[in-house]
Amino acid sequence: MRLTTFSDYALRSLIFVGVAPGPLVTIGQIAEAYGISRNHLMKVVHQLGRLGYLETVRGKGGGLRLARLPADIRVGQVLRETERDSSLLECFEPGGHCAILPACTLRGALAEAEEAFFAHMDCYTLADLIRPRCDLAALLRLQVPADAA
């Protein structure tokens, strides 16, 4: 299984916001830290806001912050919600076609494997992903107070 760039950016954004020491961060800060497209990131952040993972503050001095505690954000759920348009095979897509579809067991096996992947990822929260906070902050060039580690 390969995750979409959208899911990758979603997880990276949540990690950045979870590690950042200030009350708010900007899309520009996230894009610069990871060297990724600001425009694509705007779509990702908008969706994370709609899904209730991020809170956006508009206006001068605005930015982003987590809308939930890191321990309340399950990685598997984030992936389910950001990978929903991704299909493992053509036959998973609405209107997808395959000559052997009526007798195929591969589709069921792959669906089970995909759900097992998401279930395993549900064992992890954003709190788990940001646990090496000082190391992550250093790599992202963020200044985290020593008492916040």
Side-chain angles (χ1 to χ4, degrees):
M1 177 172 190
R2 182 181 174 115
L3 298 178
T4 61
T5 301
F6 193 93
S7 292
D8 177 24
Y9 287 9
L11 292 174
R12 288 199 222 184
S13 297
L14 291 172
I15 290 168
F16 187 96
V17 176
V19 170
L24 297 172
V25 301
T26 66
I27 291 172
Q29 288 174 305
I30 299 169
E32 184 178 332
Y34 290 117
I36 57 180
S37 164
R38 189 177 191 281
N39 289 335
H40 192 71
L41 195 56
M42 285 175 42
K43 296 173 193 171
V44 171
V45 165
H46 175 74
Q47 182 68 10
L48 289 173
R50 287 185 60 229
L51 293 170
Y53 295 111
L54 291 178
E55 180 182 347
T56 57
V57 178
R58 294 179 158 259
K60 186 176 178 177
L64 314 165
R65 64 178 156 229
L66 293 176
R68 304 178 193 176
L69 294 173
D72 294 335
I73 299 176
R74 295 245 163 244
V75 176
Q77 188 59 38
V78 173
L79 292 174
R80 277 185 193 87
E81 292 174 332
T82 58
E83 286 290 315
R84 67 173 171 237
D85 295 332
S86 163
S87 298
L88 289 175
L89 297 172
E90 179 187 351
C91 62
F92 280 73
E93 297 173 14
H97 175 72
C98 177
I100 65 169
L101 187 60
C104 182
T105 57
L106 176 60
R107 181 179 181 189
L110 287 173
E112 287 176 21
E114 181 179 46
E115 186 47 43
F117 168 77
F118 290 132
H120 179 75
M121 295 310 295
D122 279 332
C123 297
Y124 297 91
T125 66
L126 180 58
D128 297 319
L129 300 184
I130 64 173
R131 190 161 287 129
R133 190 166 188 202
C134 288
D135 294 339
L136 290 169
L139 292 166
L140 294 170
R141 295 181 194 96
L142 295 169
Q143 298 296 321
V144 176
D147 62 343

